């Protein structure tokens, strides 16, 4: 047998004195019964809140780069706006022109830069394409107004109910498209231009007029021959006759109602009586009353249309044509200066009114007219009968004056 001392086994509780064990149990019991008074329950509750997440919470997984959604550039841009001008409020955007505007030349400073086109320009059934291209051409040559014939030699260049009811003709006998003026006005307005309806020959007719025989039969013609222009003999329709006066007024009213978008109507020196007609008859007052009646009727039908005249200076018009147009209450006056002899004297009248009308013989004066700020507008009458060529000549002259 071995003489070694045995090692103790178990927890060793048997070696604790009984009195100590009783003391510990008694102390524990006392603490348990006094937990509410000592705040021990609160301490236990806080300890539980700290321990529970550790043992009961869901594991937190840190995503790897592969699990992060990839954001496309377009989507990212919609979430986080970039600091670009397109995302700034429109109220604070500043428009910066790409190029500085070109200086305005003297020609472009004129209020109206017009060219006359005869009513015959739309004959032979001129097509819509041709008419629209024509408008664009004159715009390219620097003109902003087309003064186009719509009446002449006693008939309309459009289908007129007034003509049909009064004279038995619906229009001039020429072939034309019924919508030609609608196309012209539409294209001109698209190009930023105006259209003025030109009543060529006014109250005068010649023997080629489709109403000449009827006018003679009705005794609508003033006795004698008007030889204002020696190349052709004219006969004046007597507007002192109520039937004649009403016919012209009704024609004008019908026109501005049928074409409500027309910008102006224009009459020229053919609205007048020649002084050399037989008999010493002063027709000035009667002609004034007639024109005032026409204008009143037109303005009542369409107040937006301007009634213009292109006539001789007021002294010459009244003395030689019985046209005291200063009393007519017209909207605009253009002084026609087709005679080069008294050009400088005519300018004294021009500066007091709305502009000047010239023809090819006055083109050498074009630069002086452009430089003269008192000349407000310039109208060009192609006496050659070739308006496209005339427009091109004017454009080239203007370019050479810079």
């Amino acid at each position: 047998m071995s003489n070694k001392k045995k090692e103790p086994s178990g927890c060793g509780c048997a070696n604790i004195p009984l009195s100590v064990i009783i003391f510990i149990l008694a102390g524990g019991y006392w603490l348990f019964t006094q937990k509410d008074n000592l705040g021990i329950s609160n301490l236990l509750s806080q300890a539980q809140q700290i321990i529970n997440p550790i043992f009961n919470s869901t594991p937190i997984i840190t995503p790897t780069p592969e699990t992060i959604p990839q954001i496309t550039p377009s989507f990212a841009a919609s979430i986080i706006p970039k600091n670009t001008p397109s995302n700034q409020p429109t109220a604070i955007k500043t428009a910066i022109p790409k190029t500085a505007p070109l200086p305005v030349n003297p020609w472009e400073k004129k209020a109206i830069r017009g060219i006359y086109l005869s009513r015959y320009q739309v004959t032979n059934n001129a097509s819509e394409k041709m008419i629209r291209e024509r408008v664009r051409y004159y715009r390219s040559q620097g003109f902003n107004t087309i003064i186009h014939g719509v009446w002449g030699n006693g008939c309309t260049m459009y289908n007129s109910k007034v003509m049909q009811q009064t004279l038995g003709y619906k229009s001039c006998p020429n072939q034309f498209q019924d919508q030609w003026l609608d196309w012209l006005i539409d294209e001109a307005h698209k190009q930023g231009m105006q259209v003025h309806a030109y009543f060529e020959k006014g109250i005068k007719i010649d023997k080629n007029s489709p109403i000449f025989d009827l006018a003679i039969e009705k005794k609508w013609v003033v006795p004698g021959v008007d030889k204002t222009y020696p190349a052709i003999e004219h006969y004046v329709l007597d507007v002192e006759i109520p039937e004649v006066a009403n016919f012209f007024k009704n024609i004008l009213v019908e026109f501005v109602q049928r074409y409500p978008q027309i910008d102006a109507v224009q009459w020229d020196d053919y609205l007048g009586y020649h002084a050399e007609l037989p008999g010493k008859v002063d027709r000035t007052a009667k002609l004034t009353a007639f024109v005032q009646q026409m204008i009143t009727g037109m303005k009542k039908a369409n107040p937006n249309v301007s009634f213009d005249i292109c006539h001789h200076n007021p002294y010459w018009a009244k003395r030689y044509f019985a046209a005291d147009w200063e009393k007519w209450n017209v909207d605009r006056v253009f002084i026609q200066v087709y005679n080069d002899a008294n050009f400088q004297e005519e300018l004294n009248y021009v500066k007091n009114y709305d502009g000047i009308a010239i023809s090819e013989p006055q083109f050498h004066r074009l630069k002086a007219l452009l430089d003269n700020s008192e000349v407000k507008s310039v109208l060009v009458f192609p006496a050659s009968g070739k308006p496209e060529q005339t427009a091109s000549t004017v454009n080239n002259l203007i370019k050479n004056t810079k």
Side-chain angles (χ1 to χ4, degrees):
M1 294 181 59
S2 173
N3 293 326
K4 291 183 180 180
K5 189 176 180 178
K6 292 184 178 180
E7 295 291 333
S9 60
C11 62
C13 293
N15 298 325
I16 301 174
L18 180 61
S19 60
V20 175
I21 295 173
I22 293 172
F23 176 79
I24 293 172
L25 292 175
Y29 177 78
W30 180 82
L31 288 173
F32 180 78
T33 58
Q34 298 298 320
K35 64 180 181 178
D36 293 331
N37 296 327
L38 297 176
I40 295 174
S41 61
N42 292 334
L43 293 174
L44 292 173
S45 175
Q46 293 177 4
Q48 185 178 9
Q49 292 178 7
I50 294 172
I51 296 170
N52 283 345
I54 297 175
F55 293 96
N56 299 325
S57 61
T58 303
I60 299 175
I61 302 175
T62 301
T64 62
E66 289 74 19
T67 61
I68 297 175
Q70 297 297 314
I71 302 176
T72 60
S74 60
F75 181 66
S78 66
I79 296 176
I80 306 174
K82 295 181 180 179
N83 188 22
T84 60
S86 61
N87 289 320
Q88 300 305 313
T90 55
I92 62 173
K93 288 183 69 174
T94 302
I96 302 176
K98 295 181 179 180
T99 57
L102 296 175
V104 178
N105 63 46
W107 172 246
E108 292 173 340
K109 290 181 180 179
K110 302 304 179 185
I112 299 177
R113 308 182 300 276
I115 186 163
Y116 286 88
L117 299 184
S118 167
R119 63 193 185 279
Y120 296 118
Q121 291 291 311
V122 297
T123 57
N124 299 319
N125 288 319
S127 67
E128 178 180 3
K129 181 176 181 293
M130 181 183 298
I131 289 172
R132 291 185 182 275
E133 287 179 349
R134 184 177 295 160
V135 172
R136 293 192 290 269
Y137 170 77
Y138 290 114
R139 181 70 181 88
S140 71
Q141 300 305 304
F143 291 90
N144 67 0
T145 303
I146 293 176
I147 308 162
H148 208 296
V150 299
W151 159 277
N153 214 11
C155 59
T156 57
M157 197 61 79
Y158 59 91
N159 293 325
S160 166
K161 292 181 180 179
V162 174
M163 279 280 298
Q164 184 68 52
Q165 293 169 358
T166 308
L167 301 173
Y169 298 89
K170 67 177 182 179
S171 69
C172 294
N174 309 86
Q175 294 182 339
F176 56 85
Q177 300 276 4
D178 189 43
Q179 292 180 280
W180 74 266
L181 189 52
D182 294 306
W183 298 330
L184 182 71
I185 295 172
D186 178 67
E187 187 62 36
H189 288 175
K190 286 180 179 178
Q191 300 298 324
M193 303 174 71
Q194 288 196 0
V195 178
H196 297 184
Y198 179 34
F199 282 74
E200 297 179 77
K201 288 200 172 186
I203 60 175
K204 300 181 182 181
I205 60 175
D206 59 43
K207 291 182 178 180
N208 294 320
S209 170
I211 70 166
F212 178 78
D213 292 335
L214 184 61
I216 297 297
E217 179 184 339
K218 287 177 171 287
K219 297 182 179 180
W220 280 8
V221 176
V222 175
V225 178
D226 185 321
K227 296 184 179 180
T228 304
Y229 298 98
I232 187 169
E233 294 182 343
H234 285 104
Y235 300 84
V236 184
L237 296 172
D238 193 352
V239 296
E240 294 184 24
I241 300 172
E243 190 177 4
V244 176
N246 288 331
F247 169 69
F248 277 105
K249 184 188 75 171
N250 294 337
I251 282 288
L252 190 56
V253 167
E254 175 189 56
F255 179 81
V256 297
Q257 288 178 331
R258 174 167 178 174
Y259 301 101
Q261 300 303 317
I262 196 74
D263 298 290
V265 299
Q266 186 186 114
W267 297 63
D268 60 10
D269 59 327
Y270 281 85
L271 187 54
Y273 295 95
H274 192 247
E276 295 181 5
L277 287 170
K280 295 182 179 181
V281 181
D282 186 359
R283 299 180 173 89
T284 305
K286 295 293 181 65
L287 182 61
T288 295
F290 161 70
V291 177
Q292 290 175 343
Q293 180 187 18
M294 272 207 313
I295 295 174
T296 299
M298 187 200 80
K299 292 292 186 178
K300 185 177 180 180
N302 190 338
N304 298 321
V305 180
S306 179
F307 188 99
D308 304 344
I309 60 169
C310 183
H311 221 295
H312 301 288
N313 70 63
Y315 168 78
W316 194 272
K318 183 177 180 180
R319 179 171 180 176
Y320 296 102
F321 294 89
D324 190 8
W325 53 254
E326 289 183 304
K327 296 180 180 179
W328 288 358
N329 302 323
V330 302
D331 292 304
R332 288 180 295 209
V333 177
F334 304 93
I335 305 299
Q336 59 173 239
V337 189
Y338 302 144
N339 188 338
D340 212 45
N342 301 317
F343 196 88
Q344 293 301 324
E345 290 78 3
E346 295 285 3
L347 284 182
N348 294 327
Y349 291 104
V350 170
K351 66 183 182 181
N352 295 323
Y353 297 100
D354 297 279
I356 188 172
I358 62 173
S359 190
E360 286 93 342
Q362 287 77 47
F363 279 1
H364 66 285
R365 300 182 182 274
L366 188 58
K367 184 180 186 305
L369 292 175
L370 298 184
D371 292 338
N372 190 339
S373 60
E374 292 183 305
V375 178
K376 305 172 187 67
S377 300
V378 177
L379 312 183
V380 177
F381 185 86
S384 63
K386 300 176 181 179
E388 293 185 1
Q389 180 178 323
T390 301
S392 177
T393 300
V394 170
N395 189 37
N396 289 329
L397 288 172
I398 292 168
K399 290 179 179 178
N400 293 331
T401 61
K402 295 181 180 179

